[in-house]
Amino acid sequence: MRIIKAPDYQSMSRMAANIISAQIIMKPKCVLGLATGSTPLGIYAQLIDWYKKGDLDFSEVQTINLDEYKGLAPDNDQSYRYFMNQNLFNHINIDMKNTYVPDGLEMDSEKACNDYNNIILNSGGVDMQLLGLGNNGHIGFNEPDEAFEKMTHCVKLAESTVQANSRFFETIDEVPKEAYTMGIKSIMQARKIVVVVNGSGKAQIVKDAFFGPVTPKVPASVLQLHNDVTLVGDAEALALLDL
């Protein structure tokens, strides 16, 4: 595992965006696994900036997102499809037909998950997967559990995750309680993984996930077993690491 320490969020975002842009330049027809949440926003803004300057071409890129809330339509402003459109896809020359997010409106969980597994399989595999890190160690919506979930599945969100997401909704009752997410096996099959973390609130979970025991109670800890992981964090998030 490589660890890149940035002084602040802006630098962290630029460093992570540089890794992703190198992947696109080296393999224009690559498959990128993408994440949502506040942490990747700076990365997406940087990629958009480089695209507008003519440094990046997304015309052949395919993207596969980690997850989506069950029950939210793509045009719901809290859906992850909406998030990706607003924060990246609408601002670059990517073919929307090559951007994939789980179907939140498919209420048959088994069908939704099987369909998404087939999309991942038919893509030829993810070349580079971008991940954030939840406060409880979740990656995607793979919450702490007794075992690592393998493929795309429907998950009941942990109360801590529901509470963390409540700031995006008017009331706690509106926060989705279930989501479709790529499983641990799907994530681990990516050829390269980039994890981004920022803020002092992530310092302890970063230490637990990357320097503690590998356990499904800290889902991100499984990344210790991957042969090509880069952790990019700001000084606060990496403060507890002996670098």
Side-chain angles (χ1 to χ4, degrees):
M1 182 178 68
R2 292 176 294 278
I3 300 176
I4 300 175
K5 186 176 181 179
D8 52 38
Y9 175 78
Q10 185 174 357
S11 299
M12 179 212 74
S13 299
R14 185 178 180 88
M15 290 174 180
N18 194 52
I19 296 171
I20 295 171
S21 65
Q23 173 66 59
I24 297 169
I25 292 168
M26 290 188 295
K27 186 179 179 181
K29 204 171 182 178
C30 65
V31 179
L32 297 179
L34 299 181
T36 54
S38 56
T39 306
L41 285 173
I43 299 170
Y44 296 152
Q46 183 64 74
L47 293 174
I48 291 167
D49 181 60
W50 285 335
Y51 161 72
K52 290 182 176 178
K53 290 178 178 177
D55 297 329
L56 285 176
D57 177 13
F58 292 85
S59 61
E60 294 185 285
V61 171
Q62 184 173 329
T63 66
I64 298 178
N65 260 73
L66 281 168
D67 40 34
E68 178 60 284
Y69 289 120
K70 183 178 180 179
L72 292 193
D75 59 357
N76 185 302
D77 63 5
Q78 295 304 321
S79 75
Y80 288 160
R81 163 58 75 180
Y82 186 93
F83 176 99
M84 292 306 305
N85 289 348
Q86 293 297 308
N87 292 294
L88 183 62
F89 298 152
N90 289 346
H91 308 285
I92 57 177
N93 66 329
I94 198 165
D95 185 342
M96 283 293 190
K97 291 184 295 185
N98 289 332
T99 65
Y100 296 97
V101 180
D103 184 0
L105 289 183
E106 176 55 74
M107 302 310 289
D108 182 336
S109 297
E110 184 176 356
K111 182 178 187 304
C113 295
N114 287 338
D115 288 348
Y116 211 60
N117 286 333
N118 287 330
I119 287 170
I120 298 169
L121 179 65
N122 293 334
S123 75
V126 174
D127 291 299
M128 180 171 285
Q129 177 67 58
L130 176 65
L131 296 174
L133 178 64
N135 290 321
N136 62 359
H138 73 251
I139 46 177
F141 273 131
N142 292 282
E143 300 282 5
D145 207 339
E146 297 302 316
F148 291 115
E149 288 280 359
K150 294 181 179 179
M151 308 299 283
T152 306
H153 58 287
C154 182
V155 62
K156 182 177 180 180
L157 302 181
E159 184 60 31
S160 60
T161 302
V162 173
Q163 291 292 337
N165 291 339
S166 65
R167 68 187 187 276
F168 302 118
F169 296 83
E170 290 187 11
T171 68
I172 191 72
D173 292 334
E174 294 180 21
V175 183
K177 307 304 189 294
E178 292 182 304
Y180 296 128
T181 184
M182 286 170 57
I184 294 296
K185 182 178 179 180
S186 304
I187 293 170
M188 291 291 285
Q189 286 179 334
R191 297 175 182 91
K192 302 175 185 177
I193 295 176
V194 178
V195 186
V196 288
V197 287
N198 71 287
S200 59
K202 295 293 176 68
Q204 186 60 55
I205 194 60
V206 166
K207 183 177 180 180
D208 294 344
F210 295 103
F211 294 91
V214 175
T215 168
K217 294 187 182 300
V218 183
S221 66
V222 74
L223 298 176
Q224 295 180 45
L225 305 179
H226 196 281
N227 62 4
D228 195 338
V229 174
T230 302
L231 173 65
V232 187
D234 67 4
E236 290 186 345
L238 304 185
L240 298 183
L241 304 187
D242 185 16
L243 301 178

